Amino acid sequence: MIGKHPLLEDYLLRAPGIGRAALNLKCALGIVVLGWLMVVAYEQLGRKFQGWLYALPYAAIVIFLVREGPLFVLAALAVYAAGWAHANLMLSRVESLARLRLAELDRADPSTHDADLLLERGVLAGKVLQQDDRAREDFAAALRHPGGEAQLLALAGVLASRSERYALARQCFERAQQTATDTKLREQIAKNLAAVDKLAV
């Protein structure tokens, strides 16, 4: 399990990821679009279903009951506020778990550092904590070791590409292609490689 926790693993491997400012902007704008952007924010946290659990009651109250009086306005806002607060707590939990896991990886004996450890460290730093320079250094160091888990390499490539390190991204994707056995992952890696080639021109 990457990150040693289901919430962190979901965020790293299945969620697009989101920063605090973007999370709160989406939730703020979601108030006037019946909660839809809150669902987007939760999807970027890797928990889209939970976003619907807040957005649907909020939208239903606004559409059908707000005209019945101020009590329903307050009920709608209470539901929405709970979802907004929960999204921030979830992001804080992801960040806390990432810091704990990074500290654990940093304490590892340097002689045990292999491609997977360095890739995981870089992914935690880059995707969760937005420390692009640290992530880039770890990805480059990982490539100096043999192997590397394909999914981590592919994620490293995505993060390197986002920070416009296209040569590094290409190296990560090419290494991932060599080790990936999952057909869907291989197809995604091929698409990412094509996108990097276009961006690098």
Side-chain angles (χ1 to χ4, degrees):
M1 178 180 290
I2 296 168
K4 304 299 181 186
H5 193 281
L7 177 62
L8 187 54
E9 183 174 59
D10 280 348
Y11 186 85
L12 291 173
L13 299 181
R14 285 169 273 288
I18 190 169
R20 182 83 53 187
L23 171 68
N24 287 310
L25 179 61
K26 282 182 170 65
C27 287
L29 293 173
I31 292 172
V32 296
V33 291
L34 299 178
W36 174 71
L37 283 173
M38 178 179 279
V39 176
V40 175
Y42 270 87
E43 181 180 26
Q44 291 178 305
L45 288 167
R47 294 288 194 267
K48 185 176 182 179
F49 176 74
Q50 289 180 350
W52 283 115
L53 291 179
Y54 290 111
L56 287 176
Y58 170 74
I61 294 170
V62 169
I63 292 168
F64 299 111
L65 298 173
V66 161
R67 61 180 162 232
E68 300 297 325
L71 187 61
F72 291 105
V73 173
L74 291 175
L77 291 175
V79 168
Y80 198 85
W84 192 341
H86 185 218
N88 272 282
L89 286 172
M90 190 178 298
L91 182 57
S92 294
R93 180 69 175 140
V94 167
E95 291 169 346
S96 175
L97 288 166
R99 287 189 187 95
L100 287 170
R101 181 62 178 153
L102 271 172
E104 182 183 333
L105 293 172
D106 287 343
R107 286 192 301 271
D109 184 341
S111 66
T112 66
H113 288 193
D114 60 7
D116 286 336
L117 183 147
L118 292 163
L119 287 166
E120 182 179 353
R121 200 167 72 175
V123 164
L124 288 165
K127 186 164 185 178
V128 182
L129 304 178
Q130 284 85 48
Q131 297 173 353
D132 292 338
D133 289 340
R134 180 176 180 179
R136 177 183 49 80
E137 289 170 10
D138 281 335
F139 298 153
L143 292 172
R144 291 192 288 272
H145 291 268
E149 204 273 317
Q151 200 166 14
L152 278 175
L153 283 161
L155 183 51
V158 169
L159 294 171
S161 179
R162 283 184 191 168
S163 60
E164 300 182 357
R165 308 286 186 176
Y166 300 124
L168 180 60
R170 171 168 259 292
Q171 287 178 289
C172 291
F173 289 136
E174 287 175 343
R175 175 82 67 88
Q177 253 185 343
Q178 294 169 6
T179 58
T181 55
D182 179 73
T183 304
K184 189 175 178 182
L185 179 59
R186 289 182 64 81
E187 288 171 358
Q188 188 58 54
I189 292 166
K191 288 178 187 175
N192 288 340
L193 258 174
V196 163
D197 287 341
K198 288 179 183 176
L199 289 168
V201 172

